[in-house]
Amino acid sequence: MPEPMVVKIMRAHKNAILAQEDSKMEEMARRWLQVEKKLKDDLQALALEAARMKGDGQVINKAVAMRIERAQKLLYQVRAETGRYVEWADGFISDYQALLAEQGLEHATDAIMAVMKEYDVRGTFDKLNVSAVESMIGLAGDGSPLKRYLGDVHSGAADGMLEALINGVAQGIHPTKIAEEMANGLGIGLQQAMNTARTESLRAYRNASLMQYDASGLVIGYKRISARDERTCAGCLFTDGQVFEDLSQFDEHNQGRCAAVPVLEGLPETQWQDPFDWFKAQDETTQESILGTGRFDAWKNGASLESMVKRVMDPTWGGAYVPTPVQELGN
Ligand SMILES: [Zn+2]
């Protein structure tokens, strides 16, 4: 079955969004190198000192490590450097959110027009401008400032660094190598910042899209569509094709890549291949990658594909469709 125009357009938009995301993540990682660079010599010095202490018969655990004066100074510096990074990241992610919100509006407009064209419907509809989405910029999905979540960057970096120090010393690896591992451990802070950037920018994109659908006065609901590749999870794939009428809500897990195809009043819903048929047509490697080994085995033992998706509800972050935990699958 050839994919309808609206689906083709939306897939192309999504691919462009994800490519853009890669370049934004690279920028965040490049900037993070400054944090590592500033701390490099001190990581090395602490690794040396801790390795020497171990050589003298001391066990280096977290409590001991924290009492080393050099470690205390380093942790202070980690706080200062990650603090500078967070200042930068807060602005960077806010700008990125604004960009994606704007793209969300544009892409939603394109999707509505593609459906109209498909059925040869003429007419115009209200298009929101950027000011309509300004209120979500700089905020996380629960309405609190992005900075509140970026606060984890410091503790993640500090914990990751200390853990690498303790493990490295315990394993007796060379201090230079320990210092490298400590720098990698700091990177947990970067991962947290990237996670916030990805999640909150995609949320801005989805919310803006739904706002534009709603503002059009033509859209009465949306049909979920998933990315359909080996990285798509069971939660996303098996809600693909379902129609929802509430334009104020799109249940999605962190870093989900699903999109909302508009359903227009008086027009048939856009049709595409059933996700179950699609899944069954994939090779076993793809099937196992999508389900995960435990669920794949359960499916082979008779559990239904329909049972592989579960809706969970978080009081702060709202609903999400996720793969059903293996232990909850009956055979
Ligand atoms: Zn998913």
Side-chain angles (χ1 to χ4, degrees), residues 245-284:
E245 287 173 4
D246 184 356
L247 289 174
S248 69
Q249 191 184 338
F250 190 94
D251 291 343
E252 183 73 307
H253 60 69
N254 262 1
Q255 301 181 27
R257 293 176 296 147
C258 290
V261 177
V263 177
L264 271 58
E265 187 165 23
L267 296 181
E269 291 164 10
T270 303
Q271 302 293 333
W272 57 85
Q273 192 184 18
D274 175 79
F276 298 98
D277 291 345
W278 179 85
F279 180 83
K280 287 172 195 157
Q282 304 308 303
D283 59 42
E284 289 214 331

Side-chain angles (χ1 to χ4, degrees), residues 95-217:
D95 290 349
Y96 182 29
Q97 273 185 316
L99 174 67
L100 272 192
E102 201 174 338
Q103 289 169 340
L105 294 178
E106 281 168 21
H107 294 178
T109 299
D110 290 348
I112 295 170
M113 293 199 296
V115 175
M116 290 170 74
K117 196 160 178 227
E118 186 103 36
Y119 295 101
D120 216 11
V121 174
R122 278 138 222 262
T124 56
F125 55 91
D126 282 344
K127 297 181 182 75
L128 292 177
N129 65 34
V130 193
S131 63
V133 290
E134 255 165 19
S135 61
M136 57 174 109
I137 307 310
L139 300 180
D142 63 351
S144 61
L146 284 175
K147 260 207 181 144
R148 205 175 121 193
Y149 292 94
L150 293 171
D152 292 346
V153 169
H154 165 247
S155 52
D159 290 349
M161 186 268 290
L162 275 178
E163 205 180 305
L165 172 70
I166 291 160
N167 289 340
V169 171
Q171 288 163 20
I173 57 178
H174 193 276
T176 306
K177 183 75 187 149
I178 295 176
E180 278 172 27
E181 296 290 330
M182 288 163 77
N184 290 340
L186 283 173
I188 290 175
L190 171 62
Q191 295 306 325
Q192 284 167 332
M194 284 174 150
N195 191 8
T196 298
R198 274 195 288 257
T199 303
E200 299 309 332
S201 57
L202 285 179
R203 192 198 312 281
Y205 180 78
R206 273 197 310 272
N207 287 349
S209 298
L210 292 184
M211 282 169 73
Q212 175 56 65
Y213 286 167
D214 200 21
S216 73

Side-chain angles (χ1 to χ4, degrees), residues 224 231-237 252-258 321-323:
R224 291 179 69 104
R231 289 195 297 134
T232 308
C233 79
C236 292
L237 183 60
E252 183 73 307
H253 60 69
N254 262 1
Q255 301 181 27
R257 293 176 296 147
C258 290
Y321 289 99
V322 297

Side-chain angles (χ1 to χ4, degrees), residues 56-69:
D56 293 341
Q58 279 225 53
V59 174
I60 309 293
N61 55 29
K62 193 168 177 183
V64 172
M66 299 278 277
R67 281 200 300 271
I68 304 173
E69 201 187 330

